[in-house]
Amino acid sequence: MPAPETAAEIGKGGFTNFLFRVASRKQLKLARQTRCSYRYLFMRPDGAQLAEIANWIDGGEIEATIDRVLPLSRFKEAFEMQESGKTRGKLVFAI
């Protein structure tokens, strides 16, 4: 869920900030309890944004959790796994 700060980042005002605060209350509470922070990104085809994300990955600030790597021929099975909610991380296809 978007954090309240996301409203300002996308150029929206107080009501959107309020909605994001209500919608993300569980994530905000968990972040406070674990003394961490998170940031929600609205993705867009933007080279500068992708470069910033790459820098975070290279710097160890964020880490992708990969559940498993599958051949593309198992796409249907992977989709079913993702829909079941039992995966912990991303499913990656080896092509």
Side-chain angles (χ1 to χ4, degrees):
M1 294 309 290
E5 297 79 22
T6 308
E9 292 173 6
I10 62 173
K12 300 295 181 181
F15 185 68
T16 302
N17 180 295
F18 170 76
L19 290 177
F20 286 176
R21 183 172 305 284
V22 170
S24 65
R25 67 183 178 276
K26 288 181 184 178
Q27 290 86 354
L28 292 170
K29 181 180 179 182
L30 182 60
R32 280 192 304 274
Q33 289 173 342
T34 58
R35 294 185 298 160
C36 71
S37 63
Y38 78 96
R39 181 174 167 197
Y40 186 90
L41 298 174
F42 283 103
M43 297 304 298
R44 58 190 183 280
D46 179 339
Q49 186 182 51
L50 293 174
E52 183 178 7
I53 293 168
N55 285 335
W56 292 340
I57 293 169
D58 292 343
E61 295 177 57
I62 61 173
E63 181 180 313
T65 302
I66 298 174
D67 185 280
R68 64 190 80 185
V69 179
L70 302 165
L72 191 55
S73 62
R74 293 179 59 192
F75 177 81
K76 183 178 177 186
E77 180 185 346
F79 183 78
E80 291 167 354
M81 281 188 267
Q82 191 71 34
E83 287 291 306
S84 75
K86 295 180 181 176
T87 57
R88 294 191 55 106
K90 301 296 181 185
L91 298 176
V92 176
F93 294 102
I95 299 175

